Amino acid sequence: MLPNNPHRARRRRAAVAALVVAATVALAGCGSSSDTDGGDDGAAASGPWLDEAKAAAETAVKVPTEIAVKALGPVEPPASMTVYFVGCDQSIPGCVAQVEGVRQATEALGFDLEVCDAKSDVASFQNCMSQAVNAKPDVIVNNARPSADASEAYAEAHELKIPVIGQFTAQLPDPEKGNTVEVGNVCQIEGELLGSYIVSESSGKANVAIFADTVYQCNGQRADGVKAALDKCPSCTVSVDRFSVATAQTDLPPALQAKIQSNPQLNWVVSTPGFSGVMAADAVRQSGKEDGISVGTFDGDEPTLALVRQGDIIKADVASGVYENGWTVVDAALRLKAGQTIPDNIENPTQLLMTQDSAPESGTYEGADGFRDQFQALWGVS
């Protein structure tokens, strides 16, 4: 029997301890991923839901070649018309684009256009709607606000038989009390396209934080659409937070940072409207996780697409033809004036999911190929 050697015993205990530590580290490495990884190291995801997401994403990146309203056939414009456009906050690029589309279409027809900036507060919207009714135009367009926010003006418009066209209001038409026609009833569709793309790109391993504005209801529907697509993915995780565009500059950045820091597995942030997507990209960059977290957004704003083209944090942007929208509004006005029936009182523009590969080389997604010529052909003008 060997004599008791205290030095040898200490060496033995040290060796055993080292083996325990090594084993613990190895086990920990098998069960976790890095903060910037954001993924799931388990078995690869698969199933019909993933195939469906991939097919939807593949279709969404192809530029449409025909405007949707082509199916309604031609319509003859009147000799003159006045359109009163109540625009959403003109400090938001997406809202500016909606005005520009209507301006292009009315100029093509030689019509009169009046524009009022309803900003992002209810009082300004009510004021613009009152001005619109008092102007007694042929048609009023409400871009993005719920009709209930100006119920008195809507009641007056109906009494005077002035049709109100809703554009991206996130409401169904209500010819008796609300919008006679709705243009851009596609907010949830836009969200589903982006959600499908995220499921596809992450191979079913998406961990997503959605931030959606509450002022414009379209943004809430976009969030619902993204979540609906992600809910089909059993290996995906999603959360939804809300903010107001009116206070976004102060409230949103800390909320984004808090979400990023509290969720080490996060690999996608979706924020809507478009300018908030740029804010999300800034938050990701400041957190040092630009290699692990991607951003998706909407509206096709130029600052957003500049990052998309570079593959710089914002990897996807979904937009409905930003000028085609306005032309669709004017087309709906012509059909109302001509007494034509619009199925379900809804007219919609086309959509494109823009990635580094599918985004236009410059500018934004204005609409389907040759959409201006297609509308003018329907109207019999050149």
Side-chain angles (χ1 to χ4, degrees):
M1 183 174 180
L2 292 174
N4 184 24
N5 186 327
H7 297 291
R8 183 179 297 164
R10 283 196 296 272
R11 286 197 297 271
R12 187 183 298 115
R13 287 194 297 270
V16 171
L19 288 171
V20 171
V21 170
T24 302
V25 171
L27 287 171
C30 291
S32 66
S33 58
S34 70
D35 287 355
T36 57
D37 177 82
D40 181 349
D41 292 332
S46 64
W49 54 269
L50 183 55
D51 296 335
E52 179 185 330
K54 289 181 177 179
E58 184 177 344
T59 300
V61 296
K62 297 177 180 176
V63 179
T65 57
E66 286 193 352
I67 56 175
V69 299
K70 192 172 182 179
L72 301 181
V75 58
E76 184 176 350
S80 63
M81 179 180 276
T82 298
V83 177
Y84 200 108
F85 192 93
V86 178
C88 57
D89 192 338
Q90 293 298 289
S91 68
I92 299 175
C95 292
V96 174
Q98 307 313 314
V99 174
E100 177 57 25
V102 172
R103 191 185 308 281
Q104 291 178 9
T106 52
E107 286 181 354
L109 292 164
F111 291 169
D112 295 325
L113 173 65
E114 296 184 55
V115 179
C116 185
D117 181 1
K119 306 187 185 301
S120 59
D121 61 285
V122 174
S124 295
F125 173 61
Q126 292 174 340
N127 182 53
C128 280
M129 285 297 297
S130 294
Q131 290 184 44
V133 173
N134 291 335
K136 295 181 174 58
D138 293 284
V139 65
I140 297 170
V141 183
N142 164 21
N143 179 208
R145 294 304 292 253
S147 56
D149 284 353
S151 55
E152 291 185 8
Y154 264 84
E156 286 187 60
H158 281 284
E159 187 176 341
L160 293 170
K161 300 190 183 305
I162 303 172
V164 183
I165 296 176
Q167 182 186 27
F168 282 94
T169 67
Q171 293 180 301
L172 290 174
D174 182 3
E176 296 299 320
K177 296 181 180 179
N179 298 315
T180 307
V181 171
E182 178 70 16
V183 170
N185 187 37
V186 293
C187 301
Q188 177 133 351
I189 294 172
E190 291 179 348
E192 289 173 356
L193 293 178
L194 181 56
S196 295
Y197 177 78
I198 291 171
V199 172
S200 175
E201 283 297 292
S202 67
S203 297
K205 299 299 183 70
N207 190 312
V208 185
I210 302 172
F211 286 82
D213 156 57
T214 57
V215 172
Y216 300 115
Q217 294 181 14
C218 175
N219 294 313
Q221 289 190 349
R222 286 167 167 173
D224 293 343
V226 174
K227 188 175 184 301
L230 289 163
D231 283 346
K232 296 178 183 178
C233 169
S235 47
C236 295
T237 303
V238 59
S239 65
V240 181
D241 289 271
R242 311 287 177 175
F243 69 95
S244 166
V245 294
T247 58
Q249 297 298 328
T250 55
D251 295 349
L252 187 56
L256 288 163
Q257 284 292 349
K259 180 68 69 173
I260 292 169
Q261 297 305 324
S262 66
N263 186 352
Q265 303 304 313
L266 192 68
N267 54 21
W268 274 89
V269 174
V270 172
S271 197
T272 177
F275 78 87
S276 69
V278 175
M279 296 173 74
D282 290 341
V284 171
R285 199 184 312 279
Q286 290 168 14
S287 72
K289 297 187 177 184
E290 55 264 43
D291 293 332
I293 300 177
S294 299
V295 170
T297 189
F298 301 88
D299 295 327
D301 300 341
E302 185 53 41
T304 304
L305 293 182
L307 297 178
V308 171
R309 293 185 186 99
Q310 298 167 19
D312 185 5
I313 302 180
I314 300 183
K315 302 298 173 59
D317 184 305
V318 179
S320 295
V322 296
Y323 299 145
E324 183 187 336
N325 284 325
W327 287 72
T328 306
V329 165
V330 173
D331 183 83
L334 298 184
R335 295 181 192 279
L336 287 175
K337 191 75 171 178
Q340 286 194 11
T341 298
I342 299 172
D344 299 320
N345 290 323
I346 293 174
E347 281 199 37
N348 286 328
T350 59
Q351 292 75 48
L352 178 67
L353 192 153
M354 291 173 280
T355 65
Q356 189 172 22
D357 294 329
S358 64
E361 292 184 3
S362 61
T364 186
Y365 174 58
E366 297 185 0
D369 280 344
F371 71 91
R372 295 177 181 85
D373 292 338
Q374 292 185 55
F375 276 110
Q376 292 184 88
L378 289 176
W379 303 341
V381 300
S382 57

